[in-house]
Amino acid sequence: MSWLILVISGVLEAVWATALGKSEGFSRPVPAAVFVVTLIASMAGMAYAMRELPVGTTYAVWVGIGAVLTVVYAMATGEESVSILKAVFLIMIVAGVVGLKIAG
């Protein structure tokens, strides 16, 4: 259950990171509200996962999922350029996250 909560928290990290950018310095209320709600939910989920998982692994997986999804979303919406090199490095991050899960 901790791994599932951790993955969901990583997804929520991507949501709050994207919402933070779209809030334009908290001047737009809807993205700012999405940021606050998803930040709290993401942190709570990560804290829950840390009850059973090591802190280093938990944090690395949470950041890895959030970072990859944030970049992929930005690429999909045209806010960030797409390149083979970026794709390779994103795959490396995913491989690292999977490796941490396999390693235990």
Side-chain angles (χ1 to χ4, degrees), residues 47-104:
Y48 176 86
M50 282 184 185
R51 290 177 175 180
E52 294 182 10
L53 303 173
V55 66
T57 299
T58 301
Y59 185 68
V61 169
W62 181 77
V63 168
I65 292 169
V68 168
L69 291 178
T70 302
V71 173
V72 168
Y73 176 80
M75 288 178 174
T77 59
E79 295 174 21
E80 187 161 333
S81 64
V82 179
S83 74
I84 296 296
L85 217 54
K86 284 183 183 180
V88 168
F89 290 126
L90 289 171
I91 290 167
M92 289 171 64
I93 293 171
V94 171
V97 168
V98 170
L100 287 170
K101 168 62 173 135
I102 292 169

